[in-house]
Amino acid sequence: MNHPLWMLVPWAIFALAAGVKFWRLTALFRKHLGNTTTSTERFRQSLERIWQKDQQKT
């Protein structure tokens, strides 16, 4: 245990734990942002609904 690299082991464990915690916290944001639709996607969907209504009328 006199080797100086043994002092890095606790820091490596801390860095790994902090990385896992960060990944889990940001996973919530990634999941939430992944479900949102962009304004262009909403516009496209509204156009498709309008076109379908027009096709049903004719």
Side-chain angles (χ1 to χ4, degrees), residues 1-46:
M1 292 286 285
N2 291 334
H3 201 276
L5 287 179
W6 281 107
M7 294 173 54
L8 296 178
V9 171
W11 286 107
I13 293 171
F14 172 76
L16 179 66
V20 169
K21 186 71 167 179
F22 178 77
W23 182 260
R24 292 180 71 190
L25 284 174
T26 57
L28 296 172
F29 293 110
R30 286 192 309 270
K31 186 168 69 169
H32 176 69
L33 292 176
N35 291 339
T36 60
T37 57
T38 62
S39 60
T40 55
E41 180 68 23
R42 283 182 286 191
F43 182 68
R44 183 187 64 79
Q45 290 172 352
S46 68

